[in-house]
Amino acid sequence: MSRKPKLYYFNGRGKMESIRWLLAAAGVEFEEEFLETREQYEKLLQGGSLLFQQVPMVEIDGMRMVQTRAILSYIAAKYNLYGKDLKERAWIDMYVGGTDDLMGFILMFPFLSDEDKEKQRAFIVQKATSRYFPAYEKVLKDHGQDFLVGNSFSWADVHLLEAILMVEEKKSDVLSGFPQLQAFKARISSIPTIKKFLEPGSHRKPVPDDKYVQTVRRVLRMYYDVKAN
């Protein structure tokens, strides 16, 4: 196996994007193999690499890891982005879980019909501004530190920044009523590893387009229509 982590997924965001974000935040170089054909996917299946018959899959430290949350937890712990003790880890898990809920509303957005996309866009913004962003605004205000947990950069900060930028793609001024989150976004974006990841030419993937959607549908044989929330 490669010494660098190797990521197996489509050439697009999906569930792998948060893994890319976390590796980049840790300053870890990685390689990617993009799934473009059903044959590539079946080869992984037949070779026993996909324990639960699904991607993302990451080769790291002699392991072939699946299940996004397990992969992220391992990376966070390995690169000291998972708090200094059990209590901080619990807070990080809680914040990441909340952010995951919000990001879940966005994950299947590219696979919706045009009509459902407009409904889902409004739904995403409503949930972000009424449930999730107010919670993180309060956390940052009450905590009084630069980061969500303790006073150290962690997985929770990386995940929240990723979510903020995703929601801003749906409504550019979505943070207008959240001064703490505006300052947080600026701080985290200026961290050197994050700043590098946000620059053109990095492993960060663009907003999913029709080519990405069709590739995923073809490889996974998705013949059904996804519905909005």
Side-chain angles (χ1 to χ4, degrees):
M1 294 183 183
S2 172
R3 291 183 179 179
K4 294 180 181 178
K6 188 171 183 179
L7 284 50
Y8 294 79
Y9 201 67
F10 308 99
N11 188 11
R13 291 183 182 176
K15 291 187 175 183
M16 185 65 87
E17 190 70 355
S18 292
I19 296 168
R20 298 183 185 109
W21 267 88
L22 196 57
L23 286 168
V28 178
E29 295 184 1
F30 56 89
E31 299 173 350
E32 299 192 73
E33 181 170 317
F34 298 126
L35 302 181
E36 298 177 346
T37 66
R38 179 70 185 183
E39 289 72 25
Q40 284 177 287
Y41 180 65
E42 289 180 346
K43 184 177 180 180
L44 291 176
L45 290 174
Q46 293 163 6
S49 295
L50 306 181
L51 182 61
F52 299 110
Q53 301 179 24
Q54 61 191 28
V55 288
M57 191 267 283
V58 175
E59 290 182 349
I60 184 170
D61 294 342
M63 299 182 290
R64 290 187 174 95
M65 294 194 70
V66 295
Q67 292 297 325
T68 308
R69 188 60 181 262
I71 296 167
L72 288 166
S73 296
Y74 181 81
I75 294 168
K78 179 178 173 68
Y79 295 106
N80 300 315
L81 294 171
Y82 212 173
K84 70 178 186 298
D85 55 31
L86 190 60
K87 184 176 286 188
E88 286 195 358
R89 183 168 294 193
W91 284 109
I92 290 168
D93 282 339
M94 186 171 69
Y95 295 147
V96 167
T99 308
D100 266 342
D101 291 344
L102 174 57
M103 292 168 70
F105 300 136
I106 305 173
L107 185 63
M108 298 308 294
F109 184 88
F111 299 89
L112 299 172
S113 67
D114 289 342
E115 180 181 357
D116 279 346
K117 280 181 180 177
E118 291 310 308
K119 295 177 183 177
Q120 189 72 354
R121 188 188 310 275
F123 179 84
I124 290 165
V125 172
Q126 188 272 328
K127 287 295 185 183
T129 56
S130 67
R131 178 181 295 181
Y132 297 99
F133 287 174
Y136 290 117
E137 183 80 2
K138 185 177 188 302
V139 167
L140 289 165
K141 184 176 181 180
D142 292 349
H143 187 41
Q145 302 289 350
D146 289 344
F147 307 104
L148 285 170
V149 178
N151 195 27
S152 299
F153 181 49
S154 76
W155 173 21
D157 302 305
V158 180
H159 216 50
L160 180 54
L161 177 61
E162 181 187 1
I164 287 171
L165 296 181
M166 289 171 72
V167 179
E168 284 186 329
E169 290 170 349
K170 303 294 179 272
K171 189 175 189 294
S172 60
D173 64 347
V174 73
L175 289 186
S176 60
F178 302 98
Q180 295 288 336
L181 285 176
Q182 291 177 39
F184 172 86
K185 174 190 168 185
R187 281 196 305 275
I188 304 304
S189 297
S190 68
I191 291 172
T193 54
I194 298 292
K195 184 177 180 181
K196 181 179 179 180
F197 188 63
L198 293 173
E199 292 173 350
S202 78
H203 283 285
R204 187 185 179 209
K205 305 307 176 192
V207 176
D209 57 14
D210 288 342
K211 181 180 179 181
Y212 167 76
V213 170
Q214 294 307 315
T215 299
V216 173
R217 286 187 180 276
R218 181 177 65 253
V219 173
L220 298 183
R221 293 180 176 169
M222 291 175 58
Y223 301 126
Y224 57 89
D225 291 328
V226 177
K227 299 297 182 182
N229 285 284

